[in-house]
């Protein structure tokens, strides 16, 4: 047994010696590349990782815990100057119905807070995100007359804070704001609108915080690609003034003003041209025969209803203002022209009916006289003549060849083009002296109304257009 024990112990010793040799060879193989390098190649220095060697917190570097940042810088001292500049990224929409506009912009604040000063050998600033903003004092600027506003948060809050060694601070954020714009639509759609975005400190009066444009008019910059479908952006400019509140005092207020001029071409196609065409279409009835009642009535009613639809469509996209707009004047005058064309045919139809009735009675009376009168040979001259309305009394006396029979056989269509004149002459012979006329009855020609309307309606509408476009353009 003792012999076997010695043999096993010897085997274990040999195994341990072999493992030790293997371990040493592996260690040499791993460390060989790091210890050797090719001749002629420079040795690279290993950069130290500052996050591992220096564990300094931002709060310790800026000494945030040593100060009370709920109070403004230089508390109980002079007002803190806060410079502001704005870069307009986009002008998203203009709403006439809600009378507001939506704008996306970069809002930047500049001020000095000596409590945030830190030692630096390179004089380089430190940049932070929105998490540090909650720990320090920042200006409480808000948008006056804003309806909705928010700070963009994709993918993180779009807030940047940059602190310089001497305590100067740059605070920037990306905001979309919807603010009210008082619009005047008295010249719509030939109007220009001026909208204003106002910035002001909410809590600090001008004795605590002095808000100003950092570089004057150059504090406002815009993107050249900004455009709107219905408006032409004419100019951006900045102003500033003091605002007074009776309960709190005076505040510095900054203004971003921009002027917009409306594009007229869209409204020419959608409103003015259709309205003008409807008015011109209503004039077609003046060339249609007055006996074609269905044609003229249907044309007049169609144009009236179309004008009503155009007026309703325009007012549906506009706020309910209590004054008259320029487009209302044009549309309602056009509507009046269309409506008058319908009334014109109503007058023509009525006068035609009245005249036909009088002609009928006159023909019956002449027929009765023809049947009751004896032969007129050697008796006083009694003649009935049909004359055009342009003849004078002398011309009437000179026409003695028309008899009752010629008038009775006159075509009905020709009667409506003339005036019927019934003359009764006395027993005296015809001489150089004019004969007296005992009776003279005229029924006006209704064709003259249509004839005059063909000239009066277009002339009056052209005159209205000249005055309208001269006043509003």
């Amino acid at each position: 047994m003792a012999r076997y024990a010695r043999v096993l112990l010897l085997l274990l010793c040999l195994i341990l010696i072999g493992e030790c040799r293997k371990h040493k060879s592996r260690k040499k193989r791993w460390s060989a590349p790091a210890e050797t390098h090719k001749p002629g190649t420079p040795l690279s220095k290993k950069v130290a990782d500052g996050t591992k060697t220096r564990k300094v917190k931002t709060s310790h570097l800026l000494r945030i815990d040593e100060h009370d940042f709920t109070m403004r810088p230089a508390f109980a001292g002079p007002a803190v100057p806060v410079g502001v500049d704005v870069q307009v990224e986009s002008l998203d929409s203009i709403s006439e119905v809600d009378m507001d506009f939506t704008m996306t912009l970069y809002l930047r604040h500049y001020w000095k807070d000596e409590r945030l000063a830190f030692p630096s050998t390179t004089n380089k600033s430190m940049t932070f995100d929105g998490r540090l903003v909650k720990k320090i004092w920042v200006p409480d600027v808000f948008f006056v007359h804003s309806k909705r506003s928010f700070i963009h948060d994709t993918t993180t809050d779009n807030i940047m804070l940059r602190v310089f060694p001497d305590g100067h601070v740059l605070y920037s954020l990306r905001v979309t704001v919807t603010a009210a714009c008082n619009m005047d639509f008295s010249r719509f759609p030939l109007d220009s609108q001026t909208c204003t975005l106002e910035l002001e400190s909410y809590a600090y009066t001008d004795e605590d915080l002095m808000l100003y444009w950092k570089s004057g008019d150059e504090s406002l910059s815009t993107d050249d690609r900004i455009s709107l479908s219905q408006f032409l952006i004419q100019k951006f400019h900045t102003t500033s003034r003091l605002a007074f509140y009776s309960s709190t005092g005076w505040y510095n207020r900054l203004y971003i003003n921009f002027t917009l001029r409306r594009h007229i071409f869209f409204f020419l196609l959608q409103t003015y041209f259709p309205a003008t065409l409807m008015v011109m279409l209503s004039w077609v009835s003046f060339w249609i025969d007055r006996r074609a009642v269905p044609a003229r009535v249907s044309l007049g009613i169609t144009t009236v209803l179309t004008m009503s639809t155009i007026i309703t469509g325009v007012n549906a996209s506009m706020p309910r203002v209590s004054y008259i707009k320029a487009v209302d004047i044009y549309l309602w005058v056009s509507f009046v022209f269309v409506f008058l064309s319908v009334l014109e045919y109503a007058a023509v139809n009525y006068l035609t009916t009245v005249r036909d009735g009088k002609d009928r009675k006159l023909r019956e009376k002449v027929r009765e006289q023809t049947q009751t009168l004896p032969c007129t040979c050697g008796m006083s001259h009694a003649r009935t003549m049909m004359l055009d309305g342009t003849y004078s009394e002398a011309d009437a006396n000179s026409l003695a060849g028309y008899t009752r029979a010629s008038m009775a056989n006159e075509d009905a269509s020709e009667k409506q083009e003339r005036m019927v004149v019934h003359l009764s002459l006395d027993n005296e012979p015809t001489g150089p002296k004019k004969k007296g006329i005992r009776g003279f009855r005229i029924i006006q020609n209704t064709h003259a109304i249509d004839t005059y309307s063909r000239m009066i309606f277009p002339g009056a509408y052209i005159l209205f257009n000249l005055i309208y476009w001269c006043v509003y353009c």
Side-chain angles (χ1 to χ4, degrees), residues 172-186:
S172 176
L173 60 158
R174 183 167 174 255
V175 185
T176 294
V177 57
T178 301
C181 178
N182 295 325
M183 301 181 184
D184 182 15
F185 296 106
S186 58

Side-chain angles (χ1 to χ4, degrees), residues 164-419:
F164 294 86
D166 58 354
H168 281 88
V169 182
L170 165 60
Y171 173 47
S172 176
L173 60 158
R174 183 167 174 255
V175 185
T176 294
V177 57
T178 301
C181 178
N182 295 325
M183 301 181 184
D184 182 15
F185 296 106
S186 58
R187 299 177 63 88
F188 176 87
L190 305 168
D191 57 333
S192 296
Q193 303 294 341
T194 299
C195 297
T196 303
L197 183 62
E198 306 172 13
L199 295 86
E200 183 182 304
S201 173
Y202 190 83
Y204 298 100
T205 63
D206 61 337
E207 297 178 354
D208 294 322
L209 190 145
M210 185 179 66
L211 206 61
Y212 68 97
W213 290 112
K214 186 175 184 296
S215 304
D217 289 338
E218 296 180 358
S219 301
L220 179 63
S221 59
T222 59
D223 193 341
D224 296 336
R225 295 174 297 177
I226 296 177
S227 62
L228 294 170
S229 58
Q230 292 190 22
F231 292 92
L232 173 65
I233 303 176
Q234 291 186 326
K235 63 177 180 178
F236 280 88
H237 65 280
T238 61
T239 55
S240 61
R241 66 186 66 175
L242 290 174
F244 177 73
Y245 297 91
S246 59
S247 57
T248 55
W250 293 89
Y251 293 81
N252 293 111
R253 182 176 295 182
L254 306 181
Y255 297 83
I256 301 174
N257 306 300
F258 55 96
T259 303
L260 306 171
R261 182 169 182 81
R262 196 182 305 273
H263 294 299
I264 186 60
F265 189 71
F266 171 81
F267 295 94
L268 288 176
L269 293 179
Q270 298 295 324
T271 304
Y272 286 96
F273 285 165
T276 303
L277 291 177
M278 287 301 104
V279 175
M280 296 174 65
L281 183 62
S282 67
W283 300 340
V284 176
S285 64
F286 303 150
W287 279 267
I288 300 178
D289 190 86
R290 63 184 179 277
R291 299 183 189 87
V293 177
R296 295 189 67 164
V297 171
S298 61
L299 180 61
I301 296 300
T302 300
T303 53
V304 168
L305 294 179
T306 304
M307 284 301 305
S308 301
T309 303
I310 295 175
I311 294 173
T312 303
V314 171
N315 292 329
S317 60
M318 295 296 299
R320 298 179 180 179
V321 295
S322 59
Y323 50 84
I324 298 177
K325 303 182 290 293
V327 68
D328 292 336
I329 296 175
Y330 193 91
L331 291 179
W332 280 105
V333 170
S334 300
F335 183 84
V336 169
F337 271 90
V338 171
F339 188 73
L340 287 178
S341 67
V342 178
L343 293 183
E344 185 269 348
Y345 177 65
V348 168
N349 187 63
Y350 173 76
L351 293 177
T352 301
T353 303
V354 172
R355 193 197 64 181
D356 290 345
K358 290 184 179 180
D359 286 349
R360 191 181 305 107
K361 291 180 181 179
L362 183 59
R363 286 195 299 270
E364 292 177 357
K365 184 177 180 180
V366 170
R367 190 179 299 108
E368 291 176 358
Q369 292 179 357
T370 305
Q371 294 175 356
T372 57
L373 287 178
C375 179
T376 59
C377 297
M379 299 180 64
S380 62
H381 299 281
R383 294 180 177 88
T384 303
M385 294 173 289
M386 179 173 291
L387 306 174
D388 287 339
T390 57
Y391 282 88
S392 65
E393 181 182 346
D395 297 331
N397 292 331
S398 64
L399 296 175
Y402 290 91
T403 62
R404 299 184 186 93
S406 63
M407 183 189 71
N409 296 330
E410 189 74 25
D411 185 77
S413 62
E414 296 180 359
K415 291 179 182 178
Q416 295 176 357
E417 304 292 337
R418 301 178 180 180
M419 293 186 300

Side-chain angles (χ1 to χ4, degrees), residues 16-62:
L16 290 175
I17 292 171
E19 290 296 330
C20 291
R21 289 179 179 178
K22 290 181 181 180
H23 180 70
K24 289 181 180 181
S25 62
R26 289 175 183 174
K27 188 175 181 180
K28 290 180 180 180
R29 190 163 55 248
W30 291 342
S31 59
E35 294 175 356
T36 59
H37 65 278
K38 294 181 181 180
T41 59
L43 293 174
S44 59
K45 294 183 179 179
K46 189 175 182 181
V47 179
D49 190 353
T51 59
K52 295 182 179 180
T53 57
R54 295 181 59 188
K55 297 182 179 179
V56 181
K57 293 184 178 180
T58 302
S59 59
H60 293 167
L61 181 62
L62 299 178

